[in-house]
């Protein structure tokens, strides 16, 4: 199963550079391809954790991070159903990766970045913030806020940059 997740992440990484803002807004073209593979990577990760517990090895965690980073981009789609499904996948990712922080402390920065990006989107999008998933994520982020080194919902500036999101913004 980890090899299949790697395939899904590779597809996202190969198609992401040619995704345009129009593709994101309409969930079409290369964005639709990436969205399909993001969804499949999340489904594989969920099935993996149901079978083997929430302990994911490095490759599945990285692949799911790639999928989650694309889901962040899809929160800017103009199609509400696409936004909601991306937020649902991000909620799954955030919960699983937060539970993995004790076993894989190297995920902390990834969790911080995804958390910050989700918070930024929810702060500017009342539709998503008021959805059941949005409310749940905000409660989760507020609960993490007081933990030393935990995800900071204060925005990306509160966390050290990874470069990956800058790459997404520059394409």
């Amino acid at each position: 199963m980890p090899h299949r997740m790697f395939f899904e992440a590779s597809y996202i990484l190969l198609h992401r550079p040619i995704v345009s803002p129009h593709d994101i807004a309409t969930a079409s073209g290369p964005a639709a391809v990436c969205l399909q593979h993001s969804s499949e990577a999340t489904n594989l990760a969920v099935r993996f954790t149901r079978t083997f517990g929430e302990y994911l090895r490095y490759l599945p965690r990285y692949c799911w991070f790639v999928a989650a980073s694309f889901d962040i981009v899809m929160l800017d789609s103009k199609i509400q159903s696409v936004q909601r499904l991306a937020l649902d996948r991000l909620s799954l990712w955030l919960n699983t990766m937060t539970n993995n922080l004790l076993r894989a402390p190297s995920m902390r920065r990834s969790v911080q970045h995804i958390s910050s990006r989700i918070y930024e989107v929810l702060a500017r999008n009342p539709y998503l913030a008021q959805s059941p998933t949005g409310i749940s994520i905000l409660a989760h982020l507020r609960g993490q806020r007081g933990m030393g080194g935990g995800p900071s919902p204060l925005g990306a500036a509160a966390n050290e940059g990874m470069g990956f999101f800058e790459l997404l913004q520059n394409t």
Side-chain angles (χ1 to χ4, degrees):
M1 195 174 303
H3 293 89
R4 178 68 187 188
M5 287 181 69
F6 184 66
F7 170 79
E8 303 299 342
S10 296
Y11 236 84
I12 294 168
L13 292 171
L14 286 171
H15 286 82
R16 176 60 188 105
I18 58 174
V19 173
S20 71
H22 177 266
D23 295 335
I24 292 168
T26 60
S28 62
V33 172
C34 292
L35 189 58
Q36 173 190 356
H37 289 280
S38 174
S39 179
E40 187 59 32
T42 300
N43 290 337
L44 287 167
V46 168
R47 287 196 312 249
F48 184 89
T49 58
R50 284 184 184 151
T51 304
F52 300 109
E54 289 191 334
Y55 180 65
L56 296 170
R57 298 230 178 244
Y58 177 77
L59 183 62
R61 283 192 308 261
Y62 173 74
C63 293
W64 203 0
F65 171 74
V66 169
S69 67
F70 187 75
D71 284 330
I72 290 289
V73 172
M74 292 310 294
L75 292 177
D76 289 329
S77 175
K78 302 296 182 206
I79 303 170
Q80 290 183 344
S81 62
V82 170
Q83 292 175 325
R84 291 282 295 267
L85 290 172
L87 191 63
D88 289 345
R89 288 190 298 275
L90 286 164
S91 177
L92 289 169
W93 184 89
L94 186 60
N95 288 329
T96 300
M97 292 306 151
T98 300
N99 291 339
N100 267 269
L101 285 177
L102 290 176
R103 292 184 186 113
S106 62
M107 288 297 297
R108 183 165 306 283
R109 286 179 55 196
S110 297
V111 172
Q112 288 174 328
H113 278 285
I114 296 290
S115 297
S116 294
R117 297 294 179 164
I118 293 170
Y119 188 81
E120 290 170 5
V121 170
L122 293 178
R124 71 175 188 264
N125 187 328
Y127 169 76
L128 290 176
Q130 295 170 1
S131 71
T133 305
I135 292 168
S136 173
I137 288 174
L138 286 172
H140 175 83
L141 293 176
R142 287 183 186 116
Q144 296 297 314
R145 187 177 194 177
M147 295 175 59
S152 173
L154 302 175
N159 300 310
E160 198 174 315
M162 285 184 70
F164 187 81
F165 290 105
E166 288 74 22
L167 175 65
L168 291 176
Q169 292 172 350
N170 292 329
T171 58

